[in-house]
Amino acid sequence: MKRITAILIAFICCITLYAQKGQVYRPVLLSVDKVNGQYAAGETVNVYGQLMEDIGETEFVCYAESNGSVICERHMVRLRQGEKTLVYSATFDAPSAVQVYVHHKDNDKAKAAIGFVVAAEEFRPGFDAPKDFDKFWNKQLKALRKCKMIPELKKVDLPDKVRKYEGKVELHALKINMPEGRPVHAYIAWPKDAAPASLPIVICLHGAGYSRSNAENAVQWAHQGTIAIDINAHGFPDDKPKEYYDLLAKGELKNYRNRPVTTHKEFYFRLMYLRAVRAIDYAATLEMWDGKRILSDGSSQGGAQAIAVAAIDKRVGAVCARVPAITDLAGYLQEHRYSWPRYGKSMEQGDNIKREMKILPYYDGAVMLQHTNAKLWIEAGLIDGTCPAECVISAFNEAESSDKTLYTYPYRPHIVNDMDKRVMDAWTEIVDAPRSREVYDWIR
């Protein structure tokens, strides 16, 4: 039992995205009385503020926003150390995502935020699902698989941080050709001497920007008894010097997320999704795969990919998507915010609207979740301004799966490590640890 607990704790540490460095302690905290920040229509929501340390003058500016608009103008509140003070109270009859903010009247860095949602089950996404969604993606898969895979597998040494698994896990650099665009580049790992048909596949998908495939992550997942793929989202080599990637960020990858939406063929994320499927196709040829279980896992842009591969490739049986991007891209049509990378901004202004409206629904996570029966663990951040909660919740509500779990937390921003350490520990306890245990049970 102790060994299982230790393994589980290691697994939880492996799959969470925040690090213990850079912990934040703020002089003020806000609170609500629902641990998940979810309220019913007509229910009164009270937000309290509390000074956590003595900073002298205690006057704070407070205001609230809902669905991207200010609903409570700036007003002054006086907070006291060790005492909760009511700073905001309201009742909502319609679906609403609300964020309440305070900052010191003379110091914007002394600030805090909290979020809540009302009638979460009533949120709906902006796009309808195209009738030919499956036909479109099946055509993409046919073209992908028509091109014979020529995998290049190179055994590599375990990184220093996971050297303790030497002799227990095999690690390889993987490259696979694509019929178009850049190839797959990834690290793939599995337990040494794994029995045939004994392991699930886990594919780990990366957030926005440029990051190389993470060999340590692949090794950690493999040690849990999986065939683990950690894939480079953009298809570039993983063994180049830092200067190479700096140039990519300034050049070929600059503003990749905001490139004009002109055609399906040129839409940047199409090949990103297909590279992930290609990586799964290769892993599925390994004799260790049990022929049944595939999990896709990611946060932000990685969450978008995790959802996408499940919609495109019906073999994917479970999805762990934290604050997923590219989800409810047309949220503004429902009078709420829309998700990164905010193509809706150009649609709102009338630029290329007809073309974008025809293309984007095929890539929108809120549509894609209607095309998978995979088990879902979906997390929305109630103070996430990048992938707003109402977008993620709208997608969750439309999800076809009958086995789905939504996690919300009032203090969850887009980047977990931006949370105050006091509330991060509670997030770990009520969100991350339970989810990690469920994922662990699924892959075991």
Side-chain angles (χ1 to χ4, degrees), residues 104-340:
H104 192 274
K105 68 182 184 66
D106 297 321
N107 182 1
D108 279 353
K109 292 183 179 179
K111 60 185 179 181
I114 197 166
F116 60 87
V117 288
V118 177
E121 70 284 354
E122 295 183 26
F123 279 116
R124 291 294 177 268
F127 283 135
D128 293 326
K131 293 182 180 178
D132 65 341
F133 178 92
D134 285 328
K135 181 179 179 181
F136 170 80
W137 281 108
N138 287 339
K139 183 179 179 180
Q140 305 301 311
L141 290 181
K142 184 176 180 181
L144 177 72
R145 289 165 177 163
K146 186 176 180 180
C147 173
K148 182 181 178 181
M149 276 197 298
I150 307 175
E152 299 176 33
L153 201 63
K154 179 183 177 182
K155 191 170 184 179
V156 295
D157 293 334
L158 271 58
D160 289 342
K161 289 184 178 179
V162 289
R163 191 61 59 82
K164 61 185 178 181
Y165 301 123
E166 192 77 57
K168 300 177 182 178
V169 172
E170 290 189 20
L171 175 67
H172 298 80
L174 174 65
K175 179 182 178 182
I176 313 173
N177 61 309
M178 290 281 289
E180 55 178 319
R182 294 183 289 270
V184 171
H185 280 282
Y187 284 110
I188 187 168
W190 54 78
K192 190 175 182 181
D193 302 324
S198 64
L199 304 177
I201 294 169
V202 174
I203 182 164
C204 306
L205 301 140
H206 287 212
Y210 186 79
S211 58
R212 285 176 271 186
S213 307
N214 189 326
E216 294 172 6
N217 197 39
V219 171
Q220 291 277 14
W221 276 98
H223 183 62
Q224 302 307 316
T226 73
I227 301 167
I229 316 159
D230 190 288
I231 184 171
N232 178 322
H234 303 283
F236 287 101
D238 290 311
D239 58 355
K240 302 293 184 184
K242 180 179 182 297
E243 294 75 18
Y244 174 85
Y245 304 105
D246 291 342
L247 288 174
L248 277 181
K250 296 175 183 177
E252 194 171 345
L253 286 179
K254 185 177 181 180
N255 293 327
Y256 70 88
R257 62 191 181 277
N258 295 131
R259 293 174 185 174
V261 181
T262 53
T263 66
H264 285 291
K265 186 174 180 63
E266 295 175 304
F267 186 56
Y268 190 85
F269 294 97
R270 180 180 68 92
L271 290 179
M272 185 183 290
Y273 294 167
L274 289 174
R275 276 192 292 272
V277 173
R278 186 76 150 177
I280 291 173
D281 279 352
Y282 171 75
T285 68
L286 301 176
E287 66 171 4
M288 301 88 73
W289 181 42
D290 64 14
K292 297 177 290 185
R293 292 173 296 162
I294 302 176
L295 165 73
S296 58
D297 175 82
S299 179
S300 192
Q301 177 187 272
Q305 295 172 77
I307 289 169
V309 295
I312 297 167
D313 187 338
K314 309 304 182 187
R315 295 173 299 179
V316 176
V319 176
C320 185
R322 299 171 296 281
V323 292
I326 320 179
T327 297
D328 197 12
L329 295 171
Y332 76 95
L333 293 175
Q334 297 286 357
E335 299 184 353
H336 58 71
R337 297 174 295 173
Y338 37 85
S339 182
W340 183 97

Side-chain angles (χ1 to χ4, degrees), residues 32-34 37-41 43-46 116-121:
V32 292
D33 58 2
K34 295 288 185 73
Q38 294 190 36
Y39 291 81
E43 190 173 3
T44 298
V45 184
N46 293 318
F116 60 87
V117 288
V118 177
E121 70 284 354

